Amino acid sequence: MDVKPPNPPPVSRRQFLRDGSRAAALTGLGGLLGVLGTRSTSATTVWQIDPSKCLRCDRCATHCVLEQSAVKCVHAHAICGYCQLCTGYFVPEPSELNTGAENQLCPTAAIKRTFVEDPYYEYVIDEQLCIGCAKCVEGCNRFGNGSLFLQIRHDRCVNCNECSIAQVCPGDAFRRVAVQHPYLLKTTSH
Amino acid sequence: MGARERIEGAVSFLRVPRWLTLPSPSPRPSPQGEGIRGVALDQTNAPLLFQRGKRCSLSLGERARVRGNDAQNNAPAQNPAWTPDHDAPSKAFTTLGHFWPRIAQMAVVVLMLVFAIASFAEQRFPPPEFESGYALPETKTPPPRTLPFQYVDVAVLLGALVLASYLVLKKRSRNGVLALSIFSVVYFGFYRKGCVCAIGSIQNIALGLFDSSYAVPWVVTAFFIAPLAFALFAGRSFCAAVCPHGALQDLMLWKPVKVPAWLEQGLGVLPFAYLGAAVLLAATGSAFIICEYDPFVPLFRMNGSHAMLLAGVAFLLAAMFVGRPYCRFLCPYGALLRLASCVSKWRVTVTPDSCNRCRLCEEACPFGAIEEPTTAPTHWLALIGDRKRLAWLLALVPALMLAGGWFGSQLSIAASQLNPTVALAERFSLQAKTPVELGVQTAESLALMRAAQDPKALISQALEIRRNFRLGGWLFGGWLGLAVGAKLISLAVRRSRHDYEPNRASCFACARCFSSCPNERVRLGLMRRELPGSPAPQPAPAAAHTPN
Ligand code: SF4
Ligand code: SF4
Ligand code: SF4
Ligand code: SF4
Ligand code: SF4
């Protein structure tokens, strides 16, 4: 059994206005849905760095919302020259071509250098150590094949609605890509 | 920064050899820019570089010589590559006609270079053919964490909205709302890290509407539409227990203090201003300020800039004493939900029974959302006074909007600085007028270098954005004036209210007041019907009721 309010109004003017506005608002939302429907993607998007636009500043290391940046260096081995004197690995004037810390460009020694066969050396990034500072990327792109480049690693990235590195990237290199193809890997140098 | 200095030696390469120095902005980073450097290097060293097998094993001396050659080439070219042409770009901000000869000149050089590059090997060091059976390591591509969640998130959102509406309107259970709040904080907050949320989705929608090249992901669309659609029927059930931001603040509430009405009403305009600003900045593709200045997401992530983490903690501390400060005085999505909730089909009622006017519920609401009964004046003299005031206010609204619009348009130039493109163009033309040595390879100088590649496009883009901002400034100001006007009108209109009841707009549907009502307690069998000193309530039904 319902309890009626003391004096149940018939359809009052206010009620009428309310119903009308609700209908209008619903229509508006429907219209919005229609407009967005033509524009929207069926997929979620994620952020990614376009390696061809990256200018190798160090903001990727410092501007991610995560304390350990989600951006890491990635190595496209297929285009690597396996150089003995890797300009992504060694500082510009290395005293010796060995793995001594003073010869390494990487501040965290995140690149592992191993001998493959004469005269080739393999370079592998340890993503646990890499901070995404782009120093090696700069060296490799400037003097080498450009097989080192930065990518957002999606096992780390929390997919911010607005990537906070994108806001400050001097190369305007960040863009949203479909979640099904979340990487922009290099297949050719430069 | 020791490493940065180390790299500076290498950066001397960056200087374009003199024979290539163009009279106009010298490009560096584009593919063509890369080409220029590549060719410069390759031409001097081509024989060395392309001896297979030996190419990488240049002796250190040879390397040094290579570098030295280049350094000599570059020594006189003191003009760093990014330094824009000293007069043209600044003029370009006003007159854009000066550039064509230069651009043609550049185009010819670039074209020549493209051919030159094509005739050389594509890679400086062709990948080796291994003889030891070495297998290339694969480049790992861990899949995004969002991938499996896109359907789950929307399903959980819809489920939680239905449940919240049911718990508030039908079940009338504070404990249920509490449990759902905890779930939402854990799932949407700490587990899904608060991104994307309904609040931030406003910006994606705004950007999607104004920029046809931006596609709004359907998940974001769902997060924007669903809570609003629910609010049109069930009031702010989203705020009650689904929004992780609101739920977190709600759970922190400890000893609420009453915010004076004038302050509450005054600050109540802020969410509308924030909404306007967020839409303006998102629609012009400048920034997503709601996301940038979200105080709670860093807490959910337990990670973030110190300033925002501190802001989050400050909000939570405030939330212990002032019920939901972000929701009431800032949240732009809350502003939309307020509007939707004003016309909702069903509404939150303190009790489905009649009101005793005991004022207990008023004390129970930590958000000051319960309004006391009033009687609208019926005497014609009072009515005339009211009508007059209303008429004045209605006339005031357009004036407010105009004033606001003018104010907004005055601010628009300053606001357009928030757009990265405009900011870059400004810096670029400033640099052109009064060159400042920025040193090598700061992010700033790199950005200026990028600007120097195609200043004309950059500047015309910036001017276009600025035009949008001028219009946007008018609209934003007008919106602000409208919000203030509407607030004044809503304060001036006296409605007759028979009972104590929650204000449709500002009630968060938290269900706290329900059990404070003696009639409700009687209905639930928690209390005997006859209260000393209170009028006998009407016979209480067991469970059935219709909130309306
Ligand atoms: S911020 Fe941009 S330019 Fe700088 S390293 Fe990252 S992607 Fe490259
Ligand atoms: S130099 Fe920087 S980007 Fe390259 S591997 Fe080391 S930390 Fe990562
Ligand atoms: S989207 Fe967020 S987490 Fe991912 S790289 Fe950008 S700032 Fe970092
Ligand atoms: S007002 Fe905003 S922050 Fe608060 S619960 Fe509602 S949507 Fe969330
Ligand atoms: S349900 Fe609404 S009126 Fe009741 S205590 Fe909560 S916010 Fe206040």
Side-chain angles (χ1 to χ4, degrees), chain A residues 1-7 14-15 17-19 21-22 25-26 29 32-33 35-36 39-46 52 55-59 65-68 74-85 87 91-97 101-107 116-117 119-120 122 124 127 135 138-145 149 153-162 167-172 176 179-180 182-183 185 188-190, chain B residues 1 3-4 6-7 10-11 13-14 28-29 34 37 41 52-53 55-58 60 63-64 67 122-132 134 136-137 139-147 150 193 195-196 200-201 203-205 207-212 214-219 221 224-225 228-229 232-233 286-288 291-292 301 303-305 342-345 352-354 420 441 443-444 446-447 450 495-496 498 504 538-539 541 544-546:
Chain A
M1 156 185 131
D2 280 8
V3 178
K4 296 268 181 275
N7 34 0
R14 197 175 296 158
Q15 187 63 42
L17 280 178
R18 193 165 280 148
D19 286 342
S21 324
R22 182 174 340 111
L26 276 173
L29 282 184
L32 186 69
L33 205 60
V35 173
L36 290 174
R39 299 242 177 101
S40 84
T41 49
S42 56
T44 307
T45 52
V46 290
S52 69
L55 303 181
R56 287 96 64 180
C57 69
D58 60 357
R59 286 188 170 167
V65 295
L66 303 177
E67 207 152 278
Q68 268 272 3
V74 168
H75 198 181
H77 292 274
I79 52 174
C80 176
Y82 285 79
C83 314
Q84 186 180 5
L85 171 44
T87 47
V91 294
E93 316 266 341
S95 57
E96 266 181 288
L97 291 189
E102 73 281 5
N103 297 328
Q104 290 188 30
L105 199 54
C106 178
V116 181
E117 63 182 59
Y120 302 127
E122 180 199 66
V124 175
E127 285 190 12
K135 290 197 169 66
E138 171 72 1
C140 179
N141 274 268
R142 191 166 304 290
F143 311 115
N145 279 358
F149 55 99
R153 300 312 266 168
H154 288 298
D155 47 343
R156 297 164 191 273
C157 175
V158 292
N159 194 22
C160 309
N161 195 21
E162 176 77 338
Q167 274 295 306
V168 295
C169 171
D172 195 17
R176 299 173 174 94
V179 75
Q180 283 84 0
Y183 292 93
L185 298 179
T188 55
S189 56
H190 310 297
Chain B
M1 280 286 147
R4 175 169 293 292
R6 269 188 281 150
I7 207 167
V11 170
F13 276 92
L14 189 155
R28 176 203 170 237
E34 294 282 355
R37 272 199 326 286
L41 262 177
R52 276 220 29 96
R55 69 209 184 286
C56 292
S57 26
L58 301 180
L60 289 182
R63 274 276 171 164
R67 193 169 290 119
E122 203 200 18
Q123 257 145 287
R124 288 176 188 149
F125 313 112
E129 288 135 27
F130 295 104
E131 280 140 28
S132 58
Y134 166 80
L136 290 181
T139 309
K140 287 199 201 69
T141 51
R145 303 194 305 180
T146 39
L147 190 55
Q150 29 178 351
K193 312 269 184 230
C195 239
V196 56
S201 71
Q203 306 160 111
N204 303 59
I205 302 291
L207 180 58
L209 286 180
F210 285 90
D211 176 359
S212 54
Y214 172 70
V216 188
W218 72 272
V219 178
T221 312
F224 180 76
I225 300 252
L228 277 177
L232 285 176
F233 289 93
S286 306
F288 277 19
C291 295
E292 237 172 282
R301 293 186 182 135
N303 213 323
S305 75
C342 277
V343 296
S344 70
K345 187 160 174 66
D353 301 342
S354 63
Q441 275 235 320
E444 299 282 281
L446 287 170
R450 176 167 68 92
R495 297 228 168 98
S496 73
H498 188 266
R504 277 172 173 270
Q538 299 191 2
H545 60 271
T546 43

Side-chain angles (χ1 to χ4, degrees), chain B residues 199 236 238-239 243 245-246 324 326-327 331 333-334 337 508:
Chain B
I199 313 172
R236 300 172 74 171
F238 177 70
C239 296
C243 173
H245 296 54
R324 298 193 182 218
Y326 184 80
C327 297
C331 177
Y333 197 70
L337 287 173
F508 291 110

Side-chain angles (χ1 to χ4, degrees), chain B residues 84-426:
Chain B
D85 186 23
H86 282 212
D87 51 339
S90 54
K91 279 185 204 145
F93 230 138
T94 46
T95 69
L96 293 170
H98 270 224
F99 262 102
W100 292 111
R102 278 169 200 230
I103 284 186
Q105 208 174 352
M106 267 170 72
V108 170
V109 174
V110 165
L111 212 66
M112 275 161 53
L113 285 172
V114 169
F115 286 128
I117 296 162
S119 62
F120 275 89
E122 203 200 18
Q123 257 145 287
R124 288 176 188 149
F125 313 112
E129 288 135 27
F130 295 104
E131 280 140 28
S132 58
Y134 166 80
L136 290 181
E138 215 183 309
T139 309
K140 287 199 201 69
T141 51
R145 303 194 305 180
T146 39
L147 190 55
F149 281 112
Q150 29 178 351
Y151 301 98
V152 180
D153 281 350
V154 174
V156 174
L157 172 74
L158 292 178
L161 279 171
V162 171
L163 191 59
S165 310
Y166 167 77
L167 286 173
V168 172
L169 295 181
K170 196 87 188 145
K171 189 96 194 315
R172 304 178 56 79
S173 155
R174 169 69 193 155
N175 285 343
V177 171
L178 204 60
L180 188 58
S181 301
I182 294 173
F183 167 80
S184 296
V185 169
V186 170
Y187 180 78
F188 290 114
F190 289 103
Y191 186 57
R192 299 290 295 125
K193 312 269 184 230
C195 239
V196 56
C197 70
I199 313 172
S201 71
I202 296 171
Q203 306 160 111
N204 303 59
I205 302 291
L207 180 58
L209 286 180
F210 285 90
D211 176 359
S212 54
S213 68
Y214 172 70
V216 188
W218 72 272
V219 178
V220 177
T221 312
F223 265 80
F224 180 76
I225 300 252
L228 277 177
F230 267 78
L232 285 176
F233 289 93
R236 300 172 74 171
S237 48
F238 177 70
C239 296
V242 185
C243 173
H245 296 54
L248 184 65
Q249 294 170 78
D250 204 284
L251 294 175
M252 288 299 290
L253 189 60
W254 181 44
K255 278 198 186 331
V257 295
K258 217 173 161 57
V259 179
W262 60 269
L263 191 62
E264 173 104 36
Q265 299 294 347
L267 291 179
V269 183
L270 276 182
F272 290 92
Y274 196 17
L275 175 66
V279 167
L280 172 64
L281 289 173
T284 51
S286 306
F288 277 19
I289 49 170
I290 301 177
C291 295
E292 237 172 282
Y293 301 107
D294 188 320
F296 300 112
V297 163
L299 293 179
F300 290 140
R301 293 186 182 135
M302 312 260 199
N303 213 323
S305 75
H306 293 292
M308 282 330 288
L309 275 169
L310 262 178
V313 172
F315 263 105
L316 281 193
L317 288 181
M320 293 169 74
F321 304 102
V322 181
R324 298 193 182 218
Y326 184 80
C327 297
R328 277 153 89 189
F329 308 125
L330 224 47
C331 177
Y333 197 70
L336 291 179
L337 287 173
R338 265 172 171 277
L339 299 179
S341 178
C342 277
V343 296
S344 70
K345 187 160 174 66
W346 301 291
R347 63 181 300 182
V348 175
T349 49
V350 181
T351 170
D353 301 342
S354 63
C355 175
N356 287 344
R357 304 200 179 183
C358 65
R359 305 191 62 172
L360 286 171
C361 56
E362 201 184 24
E363 296 303 313
C365 181
F367 314 116
I370 292 184
E371 293 171 323
E372 54 187 16
T374 51
T375 36
T378 42
H379 195 263
W380 62 274
L381 257 177
L383 263 180
I384 285 183
D386 265 22
R387 297 255 155 94
K388 254 192 186 154
R389 191 166 53 212
L390 191 61
W392 274 114
L393 282 175
L394 280 176
L396 186 65
V397 172
L400 274 175
M401 287 172 71
L402 260 180
W406 180 81
F407 180 68
S409 72
Q410 295 310 104
L411 280 182
S412 68
I413 295 283
S416 69
Q417 287 286 336
L418 289 170
N419 185 294
T421 307
V422 176
L424 181 59
E426 293 262 332

Side-chain angles (χ1 to χ4, degrees), chain A residues 47 63-66 69-71 152 156-160 162-165 174, chain B residues 301:
Chain A
W47 290 96
H63 280 70
C64 179
V65 295
L66 303 177
S69 176
V71 175
I152 294 176
R156 297 164 191 273
C157 175
V158 292
N159 194 22
C160 309
E162 176 77 338
C163 175
S164 68
I165 316 174
F174 283 72
Chain B
R301 293 186 182 135

Side-chain angles (χ1 to χ4, degrees), chain B residues 484-507:
Chain B
V484 172
K487 185 102 231 168
L488 290 177
I489 289 177
S490 79
L491 289 177
V493 172
R494 281 192 273 177
R495 297 228 168 98
S496 73
R497 244 189 320 272
H498 188 266
D499 295 343
Y500 277 90
E501 50 186 42
N503 179 292
R504 277 172 173 270
S506 47
C507 168

